[in-house]
Amino acid sequence: MKVLVTGGAGYIGSVTAKALEDAGHQPVILDSLLSGPRAFVRDRAFYEGDIADRALVSRIFEDHPDVECTIHMAARIVVPESVRKPYEYYRDNVSKSLELFDQLVVLRKPRIVFSSSASVYAPVEGFEADETAPVDPPSPYARTKLMMEMALSDLTAATSMRAIILRYFNPIGSDPDLESGVYVREPTHVLGQLVRAARGQQPGFTITGTDHPTRDGTGIRDYVHVWDLARAHVAAVERFDQALDRVGGPSTVVNVGTGHGVTVRELVTAFEHVLGDPMRVVEAPPRPGDAVGAFANVDKASAVLGWQAEFGIEDAIASALQWADRRQEVLGYD
Ligand SMILES: NC(=O)c1ccc[n+]([C@@H]2O[C@H](COP(=O)([O-])OP(=O)(O)OC[C@H]3O[C@@H](n4cnc5c(N)ncnc54)[C@H](O)[C@@H]3O)[C@@H](O)[C@H]2O)c1
């Protein structure tokens, strides 16, 4: 099967392209390289351009009329930047996605897998969120994701379009062959900071927020290996029609996580175990907007997609550390 992957030069998109190839499919990439590096699309069918460029999207389908499904991942993704630049986020993530979706309907290419985010959820008691849990996106970024979920629900009700919306929890790790991974120069997410500290690129690791109502006071997340996340997309495209038949509607929302919550302290312990060395850890108050977090109820992913995570937290940490050693060679910076 051929699959169009928008944002396929990005972190998750490049690993998903690899997982598609691994399963015998052919990814076709559309990416503007706004943030994704060119090194991640080498050796793949690649179109450099914008998702809202209808002529380009038409050309891709003229060149590849046998593309059966579009995985729409292209987006701006940096939460604090979305607070400073809401216009750019609503324009790129909402308006441009609408142009892409409408063009796909015009081209009679109705199957869409959409990258949404667990950040749409409201805080949930017990921290376990299933797909029916209340939503309350806390940032412009997360609001763009929820808006697109709502738009897809309306578009699929009114047109031939069909959508599987994947709400990702917290992807970590890299391509198992170390061909791609986290490419931002100074990652701000918690594992990225641990990796930087372990490599002596920052003095230590700071736990921000130790008074949350979790088992040890630190924030809780559901860290899913990016390869498992990529495989969830393969399951979604392979079982697309079957999955929607099963739910009995033209669109559906599916959590993608491991089903296990890991606190920041637990992550640090697992990290030290993989590293074989203790980390220098300091504690600080929470940063403004820090959320206590959640983990996924993954029953629906298993029932509808036949997918579940296979890797554990230590596999994902080891993968992140190995990628950090390889980044220089692939990207030209450490
Ligand atoms: N990384 C996470 O933790 C996470 C969590 C939940 C959801 N997501 C979603 O997953 C998707 C992929 O995230 P990622 O971490 O790989 O991000 P990324 O920034 O690495 O990838 C996004 C890609 O989209 C491209 N792009 C952006 N705007 C474009 C446009 N208008 N036209 C064409 N290409 C464009 C960028 O160049 C980049 O390569 C995003 O939709 C994101 O919202 C990510």
Side-chain angles (χ1 to χ4, degrees):
M1 194 193 309
K2 271 191 195 170
V3 180
L4 176 62
V5 184
T6 76
Y11 167 49
I12 301 166
S14 58
V15 182
T16 298
K18 179 72 166 294
L20 285 165
E21 289 165 351
D22 199 61
H25 307 302
Q26 191 198 326
V28 176
I29 311 297
L30 168 59
D31 198 299
S32 62
L33 303 185
L34 173 74
S35 51
R38 193 175 291 278
F40 286 0
V41 285
R42 236 172 252 144
D43 308 327
R44 297 214 163 101
F46 169 53
Y47 292 81
E48 183 174 345
D50 198 284
I51 52 166
D53 182 343
R54 286 176 180 252
L56 175 60
V57 173
S58 296
R59 184 155 68 80
I60 294 172
F61 282 92
E62 275 160 31
D63 293 349
H64 302 277
D66 46 346
V67 166
E68 287 178 40
C69 188
T70 299
I71 299 177
H72 178 38
M73 294 196 178
R76 289 180 181 258
I77 70 150
V78 185
V79 172
E81 186 187 56
S82 79
V83 176
R84 289 193 313 272
K85 297 180 170 179
Y87 165 68
E88 284 81 352
Y89 275 70
Y90 287 108
R91 180 194 62 198
D92 289 8
N93 293 6
V94 178
S95 305
K96 290 185 176 185
S97 292
L98 287 174
E99 294 306 312
L100 171 71
F101 292 162
D102 190 56
Q103 190 60 12
L104 292 173
V105 173
V106 169
L107 295 168
R108 296 179 201 279
K109 292 291 177 185
R111 295 189 188 94
I112 294 178
V113 176
F114 177 67
S115 304
S116 189
S117 165
S119 64
V120 299
Y121 286 118
V124 53
E125 220 183 302
F127 312 114
E128 179 174 3
D130 70 19
E131 291 82 353
T132 64
V135 289
D136 184 16
S139 66
Y141 163 73
R143 286 191 274 279
T144 68
K145 291 288 158 184
L146 185 60
M147 281 183 180
M148 292 324 298
E149 290 195 9
M150 294 162 84
L152 281 169
S153 171
D154 291 339
L155 288 165
T156 56
T159 71
S160 61
M161 182 176 288
R162 298 287 174 265
I164 296 180
I165 294 162
L166 300 180
R167 284 185 184 154
Y168 311 163
F169 277 69
N170 302 90
I172 57 172
S174 66
D175 163 46
D177 298 325
L178 304 179
E179 287 175 0
S180 70
V182 171
Y183 61 85
V184 288
R185 284 173 190 265
E186 292 185 19
T188 53
H189 65 280
V190 55
L191 182 60
Q193 297 215 22
L194 280 166
V195 170
R196 283 179 62 75
R199 295 169 62 79
Q201 292 166 316
Q202 62 182 51
F205 175 72
T206 306
I207 299 180
T208 49
T210 52
D211 286 326
H212 290 300
T214 58
R215 48 186 172 257
D216 62 17
T218 64
I220 193 161
R221 300 285 183 274
D222 185 336
Y223 299 101
V224 56
H225 195 303
V226 70
W227 182 250
D228 277 331
L229 174 59
R231 284 195 313 101
H233 293 81
V234 176
V237 301
E238 286 181 345
R239 291 187 177 222
F240 195 93
D241 295 342
Q242 212 180 321
L244 291 181
D245 283 352
R246 196 179 161 115
V247 298
S251 74
T252 196
V253 174
V254 183
N255 281 344
V256 185
T258 64
H260 301 289
V262 173
T263 67
V264 178
R265 284 193 212 282
E266 289 164 354
L267 181 73
V268 172
T269 303
F271 189 85
E272 289 175 330
H273 189 242
V274 175
L275 190 68
D277 272 325
M279 296 290 297
R280 216 186 124 248
V281 177
V282 293
E283 296 184 1
R287 296 165 304 184
D290 268 351
V292 56
F295 65 93
N297 176 298
V298 288
D299 293 349
K300 191 170 174 185
S302 167
V304 172
L305 301 180
W307 171 91
Q308 58 186 30
E310 288 175 358
F311 286 116
I313 188 82
E314 295 201 359
D315 301 312
I317 291 168
S319 161
L321 281 165
Q322 285 159 7
W323 167 248
D325 286 339
R326 181 84 206 285
R327 251 164 69 118
Q328 175 74 44
E329 202 180 318
V330 178
L331 295 172
Y333 52 83
D334 199 4

